[in-house]
Amino acid sequence: MVQFDNQYRQIKIKIVFYGPALGGKTTCLQHIHRVTDPQRRTKLYSLNTASDRTLFFDLLSLNLGRIRGYRLALQLYTVPGQVQYNATRRTVLAGADGVVFVADSQIDQREPNLTSLQNLWENLGANGLDRRQVPLVFLHNKRDLEPIQPLAEMEAALNPDNLPAFPSVAVTGDGVLEAFSVVGERTLAAVADKLGVGTNAQAIQRLQQQMRIALQPFVEREDVGGAGQDVAVTIPSEASDPTRPLSEEALVGEAVRANLAMTDLNARLDTVSRQLERKVRVLANISEFGQAVSNERDPANVLRLLITNTIRHLQVQGAAVMIIPSSGQLREAVVHGFKRDPLLSTADEAGEPVAIALLNERQPRLLVGEIDATEESFQLATVRNANFNSALVVPLTTQEKVVGLLTAYGDGDRGNLDENDLQLANVLGSTAAMGYANAIAWRQLQDFNRGLEGQVAKRTSELRNALAESRRLADDLSEKNTLVEDAYRDLSALDQIKQELITRLSSELRTPVTSLVTAAKILERVKDAPAEKGERFIAIIRDEAEKLSEIIQSIFQASALATGSEGPERRSVPAEDLFRRVIAPLRDLARNRAVRLHILIPSGLDTVFCEAESTEAALRAVIKNAIEFSKGGGEVRLEVRRLMRGEKPWLILRVTDTGVGIPEQELPLVSEAFWQGGNVLTGKPRGVGLGLAIAKRVVEHHGGSLSISSVVAEGTEVRIELPQAR
Ligand SMILES: Nc1nc2c(ncn2[C@@H]2O[C@H](COP(=O)(O)OP(=O)(O)OP(=O)(O)O)[C@@H](O)[C@H]2O)c(=O)[nH]1
Ligand SMILES: [Mg+2]
């Protein structure tokens, strides 16, 4: 009779190994225990006598996984075969869902086999079980011994209904699993309806498949249904009168029940210790997970760690980690068990993904139970439509900020996710959320640092460039400064020259103009005076006017030379004519000043290629200067000679005087415009001081040179060298 244990969410199916004493029942269970996956079975509980004869029963519980959220446990019992333990046999047989009859093949066991089978029918009846309803298979055991009954004989005696039967050798295990598989499958099929899978052939097959997996020898695998299972046994209570002394049979029954209860307790302890072991393992894994997550620098890896740990610890078939990127729209980052998360890909009535509504709740939630007409039911229906049975959602929150959502889905075989699973997922989720935020912050810090380094490098190079530029500007500035200073100096010099020019011009011009005006006034007044007196004044007027014209011409010449404007065209002038024209106007001046004039000009000088007028004026100015600065009775010499320099003829002129001479320190200034030796002269200076300066310019203009040497109080020599040809 299938037992539902709601407290522990277990379904227990009972299969009893029945048969004569020493037939090999316990040996069969030992074999099954040996070859099944340790993760799927409990210990083998045996209550034996000292000689290993079963006193009460043997019990082995096998875990077949989950069905409808219940753990399915296949419980294998043996009964004591010895005749005297009938009460015990009956108690153990109570609620059996399937039976394996272990017959002893030895010849001498013919009778005990039949007696035991008869006893089985009786005890089934006594427990209210219909022998035609309870699946039964036969094991003809000890086929390795001699002498044994032929199989056909045994079949004829024990199995007239031709139920499944197997020859076996329990000590080696031959035939045992085959028989057990068949009774297991038949039992599962018989109780399928009670298990809630109805007569659905596929569901039954899956159950049977589960059983085959449970029996698969020595296959180690992950614990898929939670380790260990309870071996709770419901003990049928016998109505008893506490005042009446117990019969022997009742006493045995009580003892069996007490032992069953003890075994049950042991099995539970076993389960609890397994669960504890599992919890410790999970805790260790979680701490390992926490460490891995906190060391992780890549946010994507944190999410991957979260999903693998969720699948591993929750034993779920589907899971997803969704995140809210900076764009704000929730999206899957990692998925397992499907292409798209069902809660994200299904929209609710408002047209929004179901996952968004769950995210906004900011609470871990279980989606499990029955579908009714509520909103939650819509979420559950989404889960069921995706072929899962239950689900959980955990918002990933760090520092009050939701960064994403973790979902996990369990299918029908896994059984419903529960509060424990939710708690575990929450721990994983919050740990991962923290690690995720850390990894992102670390990455931002990296980016920021990189940006900072780049900026520093950029600024440094900008500064370096600016520094170089400012240095260049400073150099430029100092160069310009020098230019400005030079220009300023030139300008001040020019300004000084200008001032001097104005002063000299006004004083130089004042004299002839005053003389002119005075002479003119006198002339006016003496209109009637004798004619010779008038002529004298007219002569004065003419002289002064000439001087004035000379001064003005000098100024023009100086200005022309200063501005570099072109003079008249050059031409070949006969040298002798040139000197004659230079000297002629000076003879009177020399005579008037009582200065002797010595002119030494050789014949055959040929021509000079020059601007006749300016050259004449220049030479005249030099000689005139010499005359004017000579004392009365002094002498001015002009010597001209011809000199060949290479192919080219040159004229060399020396003008010497016996004048006041020029102090050495003033010599360099002599040929500058406006310098005039007046300050060393006693008496009024003559001319505007342009004479020598203009002469020097004119000579240089013609490719020649003018130099001066002088001794104070002895005299001055001016030397002019002038190329004759072009
Ligand atoms: N040679 C041989 N010996 C077997 C075989 N099966 C069991 N035995 C032996 O038979 C003896 C009894 O086996 P158990 O398994 O204790 O028999 P049981 O049916 O549990 O007996 P009770 O508990 O007294 O009812 C043991 O010594 C086993 O080793 C078999 O197939 N061949
Ligand atoms: Mg036994």
Side-chain angles (χ1 to χ4, degrees), residues 235-538:
I235 303 163
S237 59
E238 275 183 13
S240 60
D241 179 358
T243 56
R244 220 181 65 189
L246 288 169
S247 66
E248 194 189 326
E249 195 168 313
L251 263 174
V252 170
E254 286 302 318
V256 173
R257 273 191 285 277
N259 274 297
L260 279 170
M262 231 167 70
T263 313
D264 188 33
L265 215 64
N266 269 336
R268 278 191 190 172
L269 272 176
D270 197 29
T271 306
V272 168
S273 91
R274 275 170 194 247
Q275 279 173 346
L276 270 177
E277 266 172 34
R278 180 172 173 249
K279 286 212 165 122
V280 167
R281 238 183 7 250
V282 168
L283 275 178
N285 286 339
I286 286 177
S287 116
E288 212 173 276
F289 168 73
Q291 227 161 17
V293 157
S294 65
N295 287 334
E296 188 52 63
R297 298 279 160 87
D298 182 350
N301 280 348
V302 172
L303 303 183
R304 269 194 284 276
L305 278 171
L306 173 60
I307 203 155
T308 47
N309 277 274
T310 303
I311 295 159
R312 182 168 159 212
H313 297 309
L314 266 59
Q315 304 290 344
V316 285
Q317 288 66 47
V321 180
M322 291 164 256
I323 52 153
I324 308 169
S326 43
S327 60
Q329 197 56 259
L330 186 70
R331 65 166 177 78
E332 289 124 332
V334 209
V335 292
H336 169 85
F338 37 68
K339 277 203 180 112
R340 295 223 54 198
D341 186 287
L343 291 169
L344 189 62
S345 54
T346 311
D348 59 15
E349 277 173 358
E352 239 189 356
V354 181
I356 303 280
L358 289 163
L359 182 82
N360 290 337
E361 282 182 18
R362 307 187 98 191
Q363 288 291 331
R365 274 275 307 277
L366 269 177
L367 300 176
V368 64
E370 296 304 318
I371 295 183
D372 49 36
T374 63
E375 186 196 341
E376 286 170 18
S377 191
F378 180 74
Q379 298 165 350
L380 188 61
T382 305
V383 173
R384 296 270 161 84
N385 286 343
N387 286 328
F388 292 107
N389 216 41
S390 62
L392 58 79
V393 288
V394 171
L396 304 176
T397 313
T398 175
Q399 291 171 350
E400 315 241 314
K401 198 175 147 229
V402 184
V403 294
L405 194 70
L406 167 70
T407 55
Y409 300 81
D411 64 13
D413 293 341
R414 184 220 180 269
N416 283 342
L417 286 154
D418 58 22
E419 287 296 334
N420 285 335
D421 297 320
L422 190 63
Q423 229 171 11
L424 184 58
N426 203 19
V427 171
L428 292 174
S430 49
T431 310
M434 219 148 61
Y436 182 70
N438 273 348
I440 286 190
W442 192 83
R443 182 175 278 188
Q444 282 170 344
L445 197 69
Q446 285 281 97
D447 290 350
F448 179 73
N449 273 347
R450 261 199 294 277
L452 214 59
E453 276 165 23
Q455 268 183 357
V456 166
K458 193 167 157 246
R459 287 281 149 80
T460 309
S461 104
E462 278 172 4
L463 274 176
R464 212 171 273 144
N465 290 345
L467 202 66
E469 176 68 9
S470 76
R471 263 192 209 131
R472 205 180 55 71
L473 283 174
D475 288 351
D476 215 27
L477 209 64
S478 94
E479 208 173 288
K480 294 238 166 87
N481 230 9
T482 318
L483 288 176
V484 167
E485 275 170 15
D486 289 352
Y488 179 74
R489 253 198 310 279
D490 289 353
L491 273 175
S492 333
L494 277 175
D495 193 50
Q496 211 181 331
I497 288 168
K498 191 189 83 190
Q499 284 304 325
E500 221 167 313
L501 178 67
I502 289 165
T503 312
R504 285 188 192 286
L505 277 181
S506 53
S507 80
E508 285 299 318
L509 290 173
R510 198 179 301 131
T511 315
V513 167
T514 310
S515 303
L516 275 173
V517 171
T518 312
K521 278 182 181 165
I522 292 170
L523 200 59
E524 212 172 31
R525 246 186 286 146
V526 296
K527 269 197 300 250
D528 306 324
E532 73 272 18
K533 205 172 182 180
E535 270 167 21
R536 193 155 54 87
F537 284 109
I538 289 168

Side-chain angles (χ1 to χ4, degrees), residues 26 54 58 78:
T26 300
T54 302
D58 303 302
T78 69

Side-chain angles (χ1 to χ4, degrees), residues 598-601 637-641 652-656:
H598 284 276
I599 311 291
L600 296 165
I601 300 172
R637 293 170 71 92
L638 164 64
E639 284 175 55
V640 181
R641 61 192 172 91
I652 312 295
L653 284 82
R654 280 173 67 220
V655 179
T656 51

Side-chain angles (χ1 to χ4, degrees), residues 3-12 69-70 232:
Q3 292 176 40
F4 286 84
D5 181 343
N6 283 318
Q7 188 188 350
Y8 290 93
R9 302 187 76 79
Q10 274 204 351
I11 299 172
K12 287 177 273 190
Y70 280 76

Side-chain angles (χ1 to χ4, degrees), residues 20-27 53-54 80-81 141-142 144-145 169-171:
L22 295 173
K25 302 178 289 295
T26 300
T27 310
R53 309 281 302 266
T54 302
N141 195 31
K142 299 194 184 181
D144 57 323
L145 293 180
V169 182
V171 281

Side-chain angles (χ1 to χ4, degrees), residues 554-683:
S554 297
I555 290 167
F556 280 134
Q557 244 179 339
S559 151
L561 285 167
T563 55
S565 54
E566 282 296 309
E569 289 229 350
R570 290 181 192 185
R571 56 192 163 90
S572 287
V573 182
E576 281 162 29
D577 288 1
L578 181 75
F579 289 120
R580 208 175 338 107
R581 275 198 303 276
V582 168
I583 294 155
L586 295 173
R587 291 191 186 280
D588 276 356
L589 177 68
R591 204 177 309 120
N592 289 344
R593 294 186 63 85
V595 173
R596 266 172 296 139
L597 202 56
H598 284 276
I599 311 291
L600 296 165
I601 300 172
S603 58
L605 283 179
D606 208 350
T607 55
V608 181
F609 188 73
C610 65
E611 295 166 13
E613 277 175 23
S614 64
T615 309
E616 267 177 45
L619 297 179
R620 191 179 299 130
V622 173
I623 300 164
K624 190 181 172 201
N625 218 42
I627 296 167
E628 284 182 338
F629 284 88
S630 289
K631 287 173 259 178
E635 189 180 82
V636 170
R637 293 170 71 92
L638 164 64
E639 284 175 55
V640 181
R641 61 192 172 91
R642 200 162 183 257
L643 187 73
M644 290 302 287
R645 283 190 175 141
E647 297 284 293
K648 302 210 164 160
W650 283 69
L651 286 181
I652 312 295
L653 284 82
R654 280 173 67 220
V655 179
T656 51
D657 64 52
T658 52
V660 290
I662 304 164
E664 201 183 332
Q665 71 272 17
E666 289 181 16
L667 268 181
L669 304 170
V670 149
S671 52
E672 295 302 315
F674 310 114
W675 182 85
Q676 192 184 54
N679 49 351
V680 294
L681 273 179
T682 52

